[in-house]
Amino acid sequence: MLYWLAGASLFYFSVKKSSTRIGKVVSGTIVFFIFGFFPLKWQIEHALAVRDHKARLARAEAIFNERCKTAGERIYRTVEGVEGLMLLKQDAVDPYDDEFDFGGVDSYIKIFLQGRDERGYLVERVPATKSGYAYVDLVDPWDGKRYRYTADMRTSPDLIGKTDEKRLVIKREPASGNAPRYGVAYDDIATPEERALWIAGGSIKVVDTLTNEVIAERVGYMIDKALGNDGGARQPWTFARKTPGWSCPQHTTKQERAFVEKVLKIKEK
């Protein structure tokens, strides 16, 4: 408002002070150009940005809707009485399956070791009514050796002296004997074009390592329809996970464990 008032005032005085008609026209034109150029430039740039955003969003939604046609769970075979599993990959990071994003591979291992309470929620600090998998094996990429991870309910080192509460702590030891027959492989399946349009895609496969048979697969996609806008401290993928219709199937917490558990039935203790 002040900008336009200043422009109008300068235009008025420049015209009034000019003694000739040509002078009035020239001075008025100069003032109008100076004060009108930047708003006009901004309006043009804004209009072009809006047009580009709409075109990109339309392209993104078209791709996302097409990908969603292949999303979902496909279970070809289930296995009863499974004690442990093999984590076949540990370095894939994808927003649709976010376990690797928060806490790294240990966090991902932990979701398979956690038990469930009477409501069916995964827990690690209170007694569980249903056990998780007894162990998870994986090959350390640094030394090429296989290690076994198990759950140890004890007072965490960072809680010693503060509370008697016990929580699940991961115990890691060199693995011996045969590796688990069934493994979980996680892949980021989004293409560079999809990433550029803020589309994420993840695939989890349950594999029979003895036969190399994929016995189940779940594919999921997610889109940020704001195309990565982080204004106002907005977190694009966090927002997208919580928004209905922005993921297919709709994103849920700890969804990896829920899917694997449908296929590899945990052995009752």
Side-chain angles (χ1 to χ4, degrees):
M1 196 67 177
L2 291 174
Y3 179 87
W4 288 114
L5 285 174
S9 298
L10 185 58
F11 179 82
Y12 172 77
F13 286 112
S14 65
V15 172
K16 186 176 181 180
K17 294 294 184 180
S18 299
S19 57
T20 64
R21 178 175 294 182
I22 294 178
K24 292 179 185 295
V25 172
V26 172
S27 60
T29 301
I30 292 174
V31 173
F32 178 81
F33 178 79
I34 292 174
F35 276 83
F37 173 78
F38 294 104
L40 180 61
K41 180 176 180 291
W42 180 86
Q43 288 287 350
I44 293 174
E45 290 176 346
H46 178 69
L48 292 175
V50 170
R51 185 187 67 178
D52 178 65
H53 178 85
K54 289 182 178 179
R56 289 185 66 220
L57 179 57
R59 174 65 177 160
E61 288 181 322
I63 293 176
F64 175 69
N65 292 334
E66 187 66 25
R67 296 295 182 268
C68 284
K69 294 178 181 179
T70 63
E73 298 180 355
R74 298 171 182 82
I75 299 176
Y76 310 111
R77 178 160 64 90
T78 61
V79 183
E80 299 289 338
V82 177
E83 291 187 272
L85 53 85
M86 187 81 180
L87 186 59
L88 301 175
K89 293 186 178 181
Q90 54 179 302
D91 57 354
V93 178
D94 184 86
Y96 181 75
D97 289 311
D98 58 348
E99 295 306 326
F100 281 116
D101 294 339
F102 305 100
V105 69
D106 282 356
S107 175
Y108 194 59
I109 292 172
K110 184 178 289 187
I111 69 169
F112 294 108
L113 299 176
Q114 290 174 320
R116 293 188 181 275
D117 63 15
E118 64 280 357
R119 298 173 299 171
Y121 293 120
L122 294 175
V123 292
E124 59 180 84
R125 294 191 185 187
V126 297
T129 59
K130 185 179 179 181
S131 300
Y133 292 100
Y135 57 86
V136 174
D137 283 14
L138 64 82
V139 175
D140 191 316
W142 293 103
D143 59 17
K145 296 179 180 179
R146 180 167 57 92
Y147 290 88
R148 176 155 295 182
Y149 296 77
T150 56
D152 185 9
M153 293 299 296
R154 57 185 172 85
T155 302
S156 179
D158 61 325
L159 294 178
I160 294 178
K162 301 178 182 179
T163 177
D164 292 330
E165 180 185 48
K166 296 183 182 300
R167 64 167 62 171
L168 186 154
V169 178
I170 295 178
K171 184 179 179 181
R172 178 180 188 262
E173 295 179 323
S176 58
N178 296 326
R181 174 171 178 172
Y182 298 98
V184 176
Y186 171 52
D187 290 291
D188 177 352
I189 58 176
T191 66
E193 180 190 12
E194 290 165 356
R195 283 291 192 176
L197 292 171
W198 286 85
I199 298 172
S203 166
I204 285 187
K205 296 178 182 178
V206 181
V207 181
D208 183 339
T209 62
L210 189 63
T211 63
N212 286 328
E213 174 192 6
V214 176
I215 65 174
E217 181 180 14
R218 197 225 53 221
V219 173
Y221 287 94
M222 184 165 59
I223 183 175
D224 176 26
K225 294 188 179 183
L227 300 179
N229 178 21
D230 57 2
R234 179 182 183 273
Q235 296 178 319
W237 290 127
T238 299
F239 189 89
R241 288 188 191 104
K242 297 178 180 179
T243 304
W246 287 23
S247 56
C248 57
Q250 181 59 46
H251 191 280
T252 58
T253 303
K254 310 297 183 183
Q255 56 189 6
E256 299 91 334
R257 163 68 182 271
F259 172 67
V260 173
E261 201 169 348
K262 289 180 185 179
V263 184
L264 304 179
K265 310 291 185 178
I266 298 175
K267 183 178 181 179
E268 297 291 339
K269 293 183 179 180

